[in-house]
Amino acid sequence: MKIYEDKAGNIWFGTGGGVSRYDRKSFRNFTTKEGLSNNDLTTIMEDKTGKLWFGTRGEACFYDGKTFTILRNKDGKAFKNVWSIIEDKKGNIWFGDVDGLWRYDGSTFTKVSQKGAYAIIEDKTGNILTTGADEPPRIGQVWSLSRYDAKSLYGKKPTVTEIMSGPPAFLGLLEANDGSIWFGSAGGVYRYDGKTITDFRRKED
């Protein structure tokens, strides 16, 4: 389940059966019957204009308060299996789907990388960091914590640094107040301070 509070104070609950909005008085449910693209929600994000973006196990979409719109690239192809959506400081929307990492500037979708993006953050210096698989899903696949350099982010080939690769899969991702990057995997928790990775997995007794 994904739980999100929008700027108006409404609480949104994304589940496997649609999304529910609680306005502090009552609940309203949204499913494919109301226009939601898929009932199995993975993430929710509100942008600066008030649009709500929904990642699902099917097609991603956004909601302007009245209508749900499915995201489609210039070829008409929908973005599927989106697990993370963020808005950067410049107002661009970033998300990852089955085909890689994408950026949307309000009119154009740009494919930034083939790498998957399970989790996405923008750090304090404007870098984009992601966790995700390096290739289509398969047993034993390689996952990476990757950093897309802010200085080259909007060029044709952004500079990408693989901070750590594995298996196991790297999932959650957070920047702490001191600027360190924390990320989790199926096997433990790690901290990256810009130079060194510290492994906080429990030691065997």
Side-chain angles (χ1 to χ4, degrees):
M1 174 185 284
K2 178 70 175 180
I3 304 175
Y4 185 87
E5 182 178 13
D6 67 23
K7 296 181 181 69
N10 300 305
I11 308 296
W12 295 79
F13 300 87
T15 72
V19 62
S20 297
R21 182 184 66 199
Y22 178 60
D23 64 3
R24 311 288 176 164
K25 295 180 181 179
S26 61
F27 283 90
R28 181 181 177 186
N29 299 320
F30 300 87
T31 67
T32 52
K33 293 180 180 179
E34 287 72 39
L36 187 65
S37 57
N38 186 285
N39 286 335
D40 199 347
L41 271 288
T42 56
T43 190
I44 305 170
M45 189 278 295
E46 183 181 17
D47 68 20
K48 295 174 183 177
T49 69
K51 289 189 184 74
L52 282 157
W53 298 70
F54 299 97
T56 79
R57 289 181 181 269
E59 299 169 328
C61 65
F62 66 80
Y63 179 63
D64 63 6
K66 296 180 179 179
T67 306
F68 288 93
T69 302
I70 294 175
L71 302 181
R72 298 186 187 278
N73 63 22
K74 63 181 181 180
D75 299 321
K77 183 181 178 181
F79 299 96
K80 295 186 177 182
N81 207 24
V82 173
W83 283 86
S84 184
I85 305 174
I86 69 162
E87 182 178 28
D88 68 20
K89 297 179 181 69
K90 295 182 178 181
N92 298 294
I93 305 298
W94 293 78
F95 60 93
D97 75 344
V98 293
D99 292 322
L101 177 66
W102 295 83
R103 182 181 67 242
Y104 177 60
D105 63 6
S107 59
T108 304
F109 291 96
T110 300
K111 189 172 184 177
V112 179
S113 174
Q114 286 287 138
K115 289 178 176 290
Y118 181 89
I120 309 170
I121 63 170
E122 180 185 25
D123 70 15
K124 296 174 182 177
T125 60
N127 300 311
I128 297 293
L129 291 101
T130 67
T131 58
D134 290 356
E135 52 198 19
R138 64 176 178 81
I139 296 174
Q141 69 186 154
V142 175
W143 283 61
S144 296
L145 169 63
S146 302
R147 181 181 62 221
Y148 296 80
D149 185 73
K151 295 179 180 178
S152 62
L153 202 54
Y154 300 96
K156 292 183 178 180
K157 291 185 178 181
T159 300
V160 184
T161 301
E162 287 192 4
I163 297 169
M164 184 173 176
S165 296
F170 300 138
L171 304 174
L173 184 59
L174 172 77
E175 182 182 24
N177 290 333
D178 64 1
S180 61
I181 303 298
W182 291 76
F183 57 106
S185 75
V189 177
Y190 306 86
R191 181 184 66 203
Y192 175 63
D193 64 7
K195 295 181 180 180
T196 304
I197 295 173
T198 303
D199 184 345
F200 287 91
R201 286 182 293 180
R202 182 177 64 84
K203 304 299 182 183
E204 294 297 329
D205 295 331

